Amino acid sequence: MLRPLPLLALCLALTACDKSQSPSDAPSKKTADAKPTNEATDAKAATPKQEGDAKADGHAKAEPPAGSAQLGQPAPAFTLTDLDGKSHSLADYRGKLVVLEWFNPQCPFVNFAHEKGPLNVMAAKQTGEGVVWLAINSGGEGRQGHGDKANRDGVSKFSLGHPILLDEDGAIGHMYGAIKTPHMFLIDDKGTLVYRGAIDNAPFGEVDGDGEHQNYLAAALADVRAGNAVATADTPAYGCTVKYAK
């Protein structure tokens, strides 16, 4: 079982996330079906049993927008450029397992996941085993975590060896139904979306009650490699809201 962080540290991190969001922060009109959220809701959803629409394990019950990528169906195609201007198309990686990680280098949840949590070594380990790992930043101009410097600082701070792809207009994020950072998606070698949701069941390292820590993404990868259907294919994501452009 993971050890919980001190209450003061958790409160400070959640406050930082809260300050990054204005009450009017909501997806653009082209995602009218998406349910608008704000960072105050994020903060409550991150702490078990504090929000009426949050599960006991701290995951918000957030549904992906209608018309987004569907589990068991081909993952929507996209082409995005990374920080160095290199183009990456999902089609280029057909035949490989692909992990998409919605990313915001200034989100406290992302910082914890990469510094002390499950993403600290996971991406490097999986890419070493042949997985394609792509971070996607769908933050709009002027929003938290947007811009070349913020993303390059994240690469340096987290020692990332995989690319960060820029989705500044949010089109790909909306298409996949990405609502949190981090929000994880797994695509199998046939191009099918087989997992979406949280990394694990422990926001900020805290597992609710006496349950055991579960890394949902690692379990999904293991299922696919074993030739099995993913046992837990859809979990509620937790984290900061994706900072889509207004």
Side-chain angles (χ1 to χ4, degrees):
M1 184 184 301
L2 299 185
R3 296 181 61 84
L5 293 179
L7 180 59
L8 178 58
L10 175 60
C11 291
L12 288 173
L14 293 177
T15 300
C17 199
D18 185 60
K19 287 182 178 178
S20 71
Q21 183 76 4
S22 66
S24 61
D25 187 13
S28 60
K29 290 183 180 179
K30 63 182 176 181
T31 54
D33 291 331
K35 296 179 181 179
T37 56
N38 57 40
E39 290 307 323
T41 302
D42 289 342
K44 292 180 180 179
T47 305
K49 301 179 183 177
Q50 288 187 357
E51 179 73 359
D53 65 349
K55 284 187 175 181
D57 66 0
H59 296 279
K61 289 183 178 178
E63 297 296 330
S68 62
Q70 299 299 312
L71 286 169
Q73 299 297 318
F78 65 82
T79 299
L80 293 170
T81 57
D82 63 24
L83 297 176
D84 296 319
K86 180 182 177 181
S87 178
H88 297 258
S89 294
L90 184 60
D92 295 340
Y93 304 115
R94 188 68 178 266
K96 296 185 177 182
L97 301 183
V98 179
V99 170
L100 305 180
E101 172 199 347
W102 257 264
F103 181 79
N104 171 355
Q106 295 175 344
C107 168
F109 290 87
V110 171
N111 275 258
F112 176 83
H114 278 280
E115 293 187 312
K116 299 180 181 179
L119 294 182
N120 178 258
V121 297
M122 187 176 182
K125 179 177 183 296
Q126 293 297 333
T127 55
E129 296 176 3
V131 172
V132 175
W133 195 292
L134 304 172
I136 299 178
N137 189 333
S138 293
E141 185 175 359
R143 307 305 305 280
Q144 181 196 59
H146 172 271
D148 186 79
K149 184 179 186 306
N151 283 286
R152 290 188 185 278
D153 286 349
V155 171
S156 177
K157 183 178 183 180
F158 307 139
S159 301
L160 301 185
H162 56 272
I164 297 175
L165 310 186
L166 303 179
D167 175 39
E168 294 179 313
D169 66 1
I172 307 307
H174 288 319
M175 184 166 62
Y176 272 81
I179 57 175
K180 300 286 184 178
T181 54
H183 199 161
M184 314 302 296
F185 297 78
L186 174 61
I187 301 165
D188 70 12
D189 56 0
K190 298 179 180 63
T192 302
L193 180 63
V194 294
Y195 176 77
R196 68 180 174 200
I199 307 164
D200 62 4
N201 65 340
F204 284 104
E206 182 178 354
V207 177
D208 185 56
D210 296 324
E212 294 296 323
H213 177 240
Q214 299 179 59
N215 187 317
Y216 299 127
L217 179 59
L221 283 161
D223 284 341
V224 172
R225 285 179 170 132
N228 300 325
V230 175
T232 303
D234 196 6
T235 64
Y238 63 82
C240 302
T241 55
V242 177
K243 300 300 184 287
Y244 289 114
K246 291 184 179 180

